[in-house]
Amino acid sequence: MALVGVSGRLAGCYCLRAVRSSLQVPALQLHISKTAMGACQKDFESAVNQVKLLKKDPGNEVKLKLYALYKQATEGPCNTPKPGLFDLINKAKWDAWNALGNLPKETARQNYVDLVSGLRSSSDSSSQVKSEADKKRAGYDTLVITSEDCITKIMLNRPAKKNALTTQMYREIMLALEAASKDDSTITVFTGNGDYYSSGNDLTNFTDIPPGGIEEKAKNSAILLRDFVDCFIDFPKPLVAVVNGPAVGIAVTILGLFDLVYASDRATFHTPFSHLGQTPEGCSSYTFPKIMGPAKAVEMLIFGKKLTAGEAYAQGLVTEVFPDSTFQKEVWTRLKAYSKLSQNAMHISKQIIRNHEKEKLHAINAEESRILQERWLSDECMNAVMDFFSRKAKL
Ligand SMILES: CCCCC/C=C/CC(=O)SCCNC(=O)CCNC(=O)[C@H](O)C(C)(C)COP(=O)(O)OP(=O)(O)OC[C@H]1O[C@@H](n2cnc3c(N)ncnc32)[C@H](O)[C@@H]1OP(=O)(O)O
């Protein structure tokens, strides 16, 4: 379970700043440290700044060590009250700090400097190796993007986590869509790497709490969600989902904004919002009743009924279902043929079909995001996330 920070790789300074904040090592605290510093004060301050520049997420264990050493170096031994059992993040931080016992401030400072220096050298060497891969992936950590036969393929690439969508991933998808809207391709395709299409929102997104607390987290998440969905509403080219396996949550709702949805017969479609104390997003409160009629939409969006690929086809959410054994071959043959059609005619046709709904969709998206911002602060939602991570609940 990710106790602090974001799981997965962190691409840039922004993310690391967020991680650092979640560990409560703000730069403002440096003035406290100055009084306690001896000979290596400069080294320590410089190490604190270098943490911001690390390109790779060092992982929760290391982040906890950094936090503990920082607190020990600046405040001495831990003597604050132990957080409650369910305050998982603060308890993990408190445990890490408390474990340092009476370690002298000078030693903690030195250990902090040594730890950061080790992280920097491993980060430098791994970024050298990565620079080769970057040429292919064009700077995306969580997606594999390829362009071939006038088709840009955006593949979700966290198979070990069932392609659950982290905040980094939402941002990378927005960048990828922006790039695809301007490249030479005629069609843009979304698919997943591994056995899942996507298990939806990564629930660890709810555990990385910024200094402003959960209200700030909910507000930022609602903005990110709204911006993310807006990119799909506005995407100008034919957008195709190649649903290679089960799809959950936002990976399903957003399909209502795609132009074609091809599914393997292994795929399932599940929107368990009421199980999670949440409400529909991705404009599904509007697109699903429109696509499948209100009764079937309610079964999915309120009661969380999981559809097979065949059922999703019967409801109109899926364009066509293929046997899994021939899925990739059949779908890509079809898409390659489509991609040779007249580019401008396809794009203009999409505008004619979609444009008259755009304004409405943006308004619905804003409203769904606003409602979710409130939902994320509810006990129902928080308990559901806790249950998932304590292995009490799985879909
Ligand atoms: C900016 C914010 C926008 C928010 C928009 C809101 C969107 C709403 C939604 O999307 S709601 C849907 C949320 N998704 C879920 O609730 C799915 C939770 N996952 C599961 O129930 C199961 O993992 C499963 C049914 C998808 C797959 O079960 P299975 O037994 O086959 O596999 P594992 O559970 O062992 O999964 C392998 C590892 O992947 C991790 N994982 C899978 N999905 C998620 C997820 N959504 N969030 C976080 N982590 C996920 C799982 O924890 C395993 O990790 P581990 O190997 O480290 O244990």
Side-chain angles (χ1 to χ4, degrees):
M1 169 185 169
L3 287 169
V4 280
V6 189
S7 72
R9 294 158 65 105
L10 296 176
C13 226
Y14 169 82
C15 297
L16 279 159
R17 252 202 305 277
V19 169
R20 193 163 149 270
S21 310
S22 84
L23 289 172
Q24 293 176 353
V25 193
L28 278 176
Q29 288 191 9
L30 280 175
H31 77 277
I32 303 170
S33 65
K34 279 182 183 158
T35 57
M37 296 290 124
C40 62
Q41 175 188 341
K42 270 200 162 155
D43 292 346
F44 179 67
E45 287 185 7
S46 147
V48 170
N49 285 326
Q50 282 161 10
V51 167
K52 285 188 275 185
L53 303 174
L54 288 174
K55 291 202 176 79
K56 191 169 166 250
D57 180 4
N60 286 335
E61 209 176 314
V62 174
K63 285 184 277 189
L64 281 171
K65 261 190 211 155
L66 285 169
Y67 169 80
L69 288 169
Y70 181 89
K71 293 294 273 187
Q72 192 84 7
T74 56
E75 294 179 32
C78 173
N79 57 12
T80 59
K82 186 172 181 166
L85 196 60
F86 294 110
D87 190 358
L88 296 177
I89 296 172
N90 286 322
K91 188 173 165 303
K93 287 155 70 178
W94 187 92
D95 285 342
W97 183 12
N98 191 49
L100 296 180
N102 288 322
L103 187 76
K105 282 182 172 179
E106 293 70 25
T107 317
R109 237 167 26 217
Q110 189 57 53
N111 291 356
Y112 185 97
V113 170
D114 292 345
L115 180 55
V116 173
S117 148
L119 290 173
R120 282 196 69 209
S121 40
S122 71
S123 162
D124 289 350
S125 57
S126 76
S127 59
Q128 269 168 22
V129 175
K130 237 181 109 244
S131 66
E132 279 306 301
D134 278 351
K135 284 180 197 152
K136 259 190 245 157
R137 295 188 177 197
Y140 296 94
D141 279 340
T142 63
L143 310 174
V144 174
I145 300 177
T146 47
S147 283
E148 217 182 324
D149 297 315
C150 294
I151 301 173
T152 290
K153 180 170 89 170
I154 300 173
M155 183 164 72
L156 308 173
N157 190 33
R158 291 182 76 226
K161 298 285 182 186
K162 310 290 182 195
N163 296 321
L165 299 165
T166 58
T167 49
Q168 182 188 4
M169 222 156 162
Y170 288 111
R171 291 198 176 94
E172 289 194 359
I173 290 170
M174 290 194 278
L175 289 174
L177 283 174
E178 169 77 15
S181 72
K182 293 182 184 143
D183 69 15
D184 294 338
S185 65
T186 48
I187 294 178
T188 302
V189 175
F190 262 80
T191 192
N193 187 11
D195 60 340
Y196 260 66
Y197 176 67
S198 168
S199 63
N201 187 43
D202 190 307
L203 297 175
T204 64
N205 289 340
F206 294 122
T207 63
D208 172 22
I209 308 299
I214 49 174
E215 284 80 9
E216 185 185 323
K217 179 81 207 178
K219 188 173 162 213
N220 293 342
S221 300
I223 293 170
L224 181 59
L225 172 65
R226 196 195 57 209
D227 291 350
F228 175 77
V229 175
D230 276 348
C231 289
F232 285 83
I233 296 171
D234 289 331
F235 193 70
K237 299 179 180 179
L239 194 56
V240 181
V242 172
V243 185
N244 53 298
V248 185
I250 191 164
V252 176
T253 54
I254 208 88
L255 294 176
L257 300 172
F258 278 66
D259 302 300
L260 286 176
V261 179
Y262 290 146
S264 149
D265 58 8
R266 260 190 351 95
T268 53
F269 299 83
H270 194 190
T271 49
F273 299 129
S274 303
H275 299 69
L276 295 167
Q278 296 185 44
T279 46
E281 22 58 6
C283 295
S284 59
S285 61
Y286 175 72
T287 58
F288 277 29
K290 200 172 170 218
I291 291 168
M292 56 187 81
K296 292 295 179 187
V298 161
E299 259 195 319
M300 281 192 85
L301 296 175
I302 300 186
F303 297 109
K305 183 182 179 195
K306 189 198 284 188
L307 301 191
T308 63
E311 287 168 336
Y313 169 72
Q315 309 307 350
L317 183 62
V318 162
T319 314
E320 194 165 335
V321 182
F322 299 82
D324 194 56
S325 53
T326 55
F327 178 57
Q328 297 293 342
K329 192 166 174 283
E330 288 195 59
V331 161
W332 288 104
T333 306
R334 178 90 58 94
L335 291 175
K336 276 177 198 169
Y338 286 170
S339 71
K340 294 189 175 61
L341 298 172
S342 162
Q343 181 171 20
N344 289 339
M346 282 199 284
H347 295 178
I348 294 165
S349 298
K350 170 154 180 172
Q351 309 312 320
I352 300 170
I353 296 166
R354 298 271 178 190
N355 269 4
H356 60 275
E357 292 247 281
K358 263 191 185 176
E359 214 173 303
K360 184 164 201 163
L361 289 170
H362 283 302
I364 288 158
N365 179 30
E367 180 67 352
E368 288 177 345
S369 303
R370 188 192 61 75
I371 291 170
L372 264 175
Q373 180 177 340
E374 288 166 15
R375 280 279 90 213
W376 288 326
L377 298 173
S378 70
D379 286 348
E380 286 178 343
C381 179
M382 286 186 204
N383 291 339
V385 173
M386 294 269 284
D387 283 352
F388 175 72
F389 286 116
S390 60
R391 300 290 178 227
K392 274 196 259 161
K394 200 179 259 197
L395 299 174

